[in-house]
Amino acid sequence: MVVTEDIEVPSWDLYELSIPATVFGKPQPDLADPWYDLRLCGTGDRSPDSPGSPGVPGFGLRTPYGLEDLVGADTVIVPSVPDPCVEEGVPLPTRLIEALRRAYEAGARMVSLCTGAFALAEAGLLDGRRATAHWMHTVQLAERYPKVRVDDSVLYVDDGDVLTSAGMTAGLDLCLHLVRRDLGAHVANQLARRMVVPAHRPGGQAQFIDLSVPATDDEGLAPVLEWAQARLDQPLTIEDLARRAAVSPRTFYRRLRQATGTTPLRWLLNQRLGRAQSLLESTDLPVERIAQLSGLGTANNLRHHFLNHIGIPPADYRRAFPRQSPEGKVTPATKAPA
C-alpha cells in the first residue's frame, strides 16, 4: 500500500489508510493460511531526521519500504492522494507515478480507494477504462483525465487488473470484494462479520445503498430479513415478508427500498447468490442440489444468474476458488499478497 510520507497525513485521511491495513494487514490464520502479506511503501525520504511539512493538522508516517518495493507486488493499493493534488492540481510526485507504471507493467493488480484514482489516472492506467472515486471529486477526475470513463454512481469498479472505489466506506466494500475474489465468499463473509459490516455490497450499486441488513432506525426490518435468510431454500414472496413484518406489501417494499436501496426481489436474489457461492466453495454438492438449497430452483436457473451477476458459470467458479479443509480453513495454493 502506498503511503505519502513526504507530507504530513491529515487526520481525515486516516480512514482510507486504515481500511486496507485492517482487511489485509491483520493475519486471520483460522480463515486462510497464509494470509496476505501487507507492506506499507512510503513516497518520501525514509531517513529518521527527514522533516515533515508544516501547517497540516496531522502527523507523519515512516515505513521500512519505499516506492521501489511496489515492483514485484501482486497487488498495489493507493488509498488516497494529498488534498492539494486533487483540489489545486498540485502535481503528484513523479517517483510515485513512475513506480505505479513499473508495478503495473510487472503484472501487479492496481487498486485505488477514493482519491487514489487520481494517481492511477496520472500514470495512464485508467485510460479507456471505467473508473470511480468519491462523488465529490469525480468532476475533477473527469475534467483532468478525459480519457477515463468516470462513473460517479457506483461503489466500486472491477475492471480485472485495475479496480477503483468511491470514498469512505466504499473502500471497505472494494477490499472485501478483493478478499472474495482471492479467497472466496466464505472467508470474505466471516471477515466482514468480525468487522461488523455488511458482508457484500455489489460494486454496481449506487454509492449510498444496497446494505444486506439495513443500517437504519427501522428496527422492524432486520428480524424479517434474518428470518428470510434462514429460509432461502423455500419459496418467498414480498407478501410473505410483509406478513412477517406485519405491514402491507406496499409499505414493506417502501421501507426496504429506503433502508437498502434495492427491491425485495433483488435483495432475495443477492442473498441466494451469496448462499450458492458459499456452497460451491465449501461442499462437493452437485449444482442441482446447490440450486435447490439456495432457492434458485434449477441448475439452469443457477447458471443463468451466475453468468449474469458473477460473470462465470458455477462450475468455473468452484474451480477458481480455494477449497476449505475439514476444519473450515481455506488454504490457497499460493500466498495472496496485497
Side-chain angles (χ1 to χ4, degrees), residues 37 47 50 72 167 205 330:
D37 176 15
S47 61
S50 60
Q205 300 299 320
V330 172

Side-chain angles (χ1 to χ4, degrees), residues 287-288 298-308 312-315:
V287 172
E288 291 78 6
T298 66
N300 284 338
N301 199 39
L302 174 62
R303 293 187 187 98
H304 168 76
H305 287 298
F306 249 70
L307 286 171
N308 282 349
I312 57 175

Side-chain angles (χ1 to χ4, degrees), residues 88-200:
E88 303 168 21
V90 174
L92 288 161
T94 301
R95 291 177 59 249
L96 169 61
I97 302 307
E98 292 176 349
L100 293 175
R101 288 173 180 155
R102 289 197 303 271
Y104 179 73
E105 291 168 358
R109 177 173 61 181
M110 310 300 291
V111 179
S112 69
L113 313 183
C114 195
T115 58
F118 284 78
L120 298 190
E122 183 66 25
L125 305 183
L126 299 182
D127 288 355
R129 295 179 183 266
R130 180 168 160 263
T132 194
H134 194 292
W135 60 269
M136 293 180 65
H137 304 300
T138 48
V139 172
Q140 294 104 311
L141 183 65
E143 290 177 349
R144 198 170 302 167
Y145 304 101
K147 293 182 180 180
V148 182
R149 295 187 287 117
V150 178
D151 188 341
D152 64 356
S153 67
V154 295
L155 293 172
Y156 56 85
V157 175
D158 182 342
D159 199 27
D161 56 348
V162 178
L163 301 92
T164 56
S165 85
M168 305 302 287
T169 305
L172 178 55
D173 293 318
L174 178 53
C175 288
L176 288 173
H177 172 72
L178 290 171
V179 174
R180 184 173 287 101
R181 269 185 47 171
D182 295 338
L183 302 175
H186 174 77
V187 172
N189 291 344
Q190 292 302 309
L191 180 60
R193 184 180 182 186
R194 293 178 181 183
M195 299 177 68
V196 198
V197 296
H200 182 43

